[in-house]
Every structure is written in structure tokens, then in C-alpha cells.
Amino acid sequence: MRYLVVLETAPGRTDYGVTVPDLPGCTSAGDTLDEALGNAEDAILSYLGVLVEDGKPLPAPSRDVPLELGPQEVVGVVNVDLEKIDPPRKAVRLNVSIPGHAIDMIDRAAGHAGTTRSGFLTRAALTVIEQNIKLA
């Protein structure tokens, strides 16, 4: 999932403060842009991990850029791999029916991507959800 972040710095400075508009109270910082974005990913994963522990749903990232940015603020994007959430949710076995030719294609694509069938299907489903469906 990709979350929008707002990075703020002061004139003549190279350090950044980071907020995540979709996750109230989720903040981070870093001495460089790369460090700030990396720390933002860690903060987002921690935030989402707490939601998982509490049994709460994960908020879908919005695509709306904050309308009112300050003079020293820019918008960035942090790609978050949900498989890194600590603690990860226990996998649930699921029985689905998929045509054989589609399974063959999925297995070839999963092998090419270096993942399992389940991992590939999970990532594909999350990508479609992220790109096309606004979850509330």
C-alpha cells in the first residue's frame, strides 16, 4: 500500500519532519530525505501493527493530496509492505474455485515474481483494492 506523507523542513536545513495524513498521530523525522522516508515507513508499520493487535481494520490510503501545504512542505509517497506488519496476522486457509488455466498463469507469474501462489494472489488483490476501491 502507498501512503501519502507530508514532509516539512525549514529554510537552510536538511532534516525533515513527517506526518501521515491518513493515520492521525503517525509522525516521524529524519536527518535526510531518504532517512525521513525510511523512518516514515517504520512509523506507518508500527501504527498499523497496533491496529492489527487491537483487531481494528487497516485504513485504506487516500489518493487526495492535502490541499493546504505550508511553504516548506512537500508531499511524498511511502510504499508499505503489509507483510512486514509486526505482529503479522495469522494466515487463514481459504477455499476458492479458480479455473485451471488461470491457476497455471498465476503459478507462472508467482514463480517469475519469486513468491508463492498465496503471496502472489494476496499482493494482486491488495493492489487492485488500493488502486480501485475506496474503503472506509
Side-chain angles (χ1 to χ4, degrees):
M1 298 183 108
R2 290 184 294 268
Y3 282 92
L4 293 175
V5 296
V6 176
L7 298 112
E8 181 179 12
T9 190
R13 305 230 8 204
T14 59
D15 57 329
Y16 294 86
V18 184
T19 58
V20 185
D22 291 327
L23 307 175
C26 185
T27 62
S28 185
D31 291 332
T32 66
L33 180 60
D34 286 339
E35 184 178 286
L37 291 171
N39 290 343
E41 179 185 10
D42 293 341
I44 293 168
L45 286 169
S46 294
Y47 188 103
L48 297 178
V50 169
L51 293 178
V52 168
E53 279 182 9
D54 292 344
K56 295 181 180 173
L58 301 182
S62 74
R63 295 251 188 256
D64 301 327
V65 174
L67 296 177
E68 295 185 29
L69 293 175
Q72 301 300 318
E73 293 180 326
V74 295
V75 174
V77 177
V78 174
N79 191 31
V80 177
D81 182 356
L82 296 181
E83 293 177 16
K84 292 181 179 179
I85 290 178
D86 183 32
R89 282 191 174 172
K90 181 181 175 190
V92 176
R93 185 168 291 277
L94 175 67
N95 184 22
V96 298
S97 297
I98 301 174
H101 73 280
I103 291 174
D104 291 341
M105 293 172 65
I106 290 165
D107 287 346
R108 283 195 305 272
H112 182 71
T115 189
T116 64
R117 179 190 295 164
S118 294
F120 183 83
L121 289 173
T122 300
R123 184 158 302 207
L126 290 173
T127 298
V128 170
I129 290 167
E130 177 184 340
Q131 293 176 353
N132 299 306
I133 300 172
K134 178 83 171 174
L135 299 176

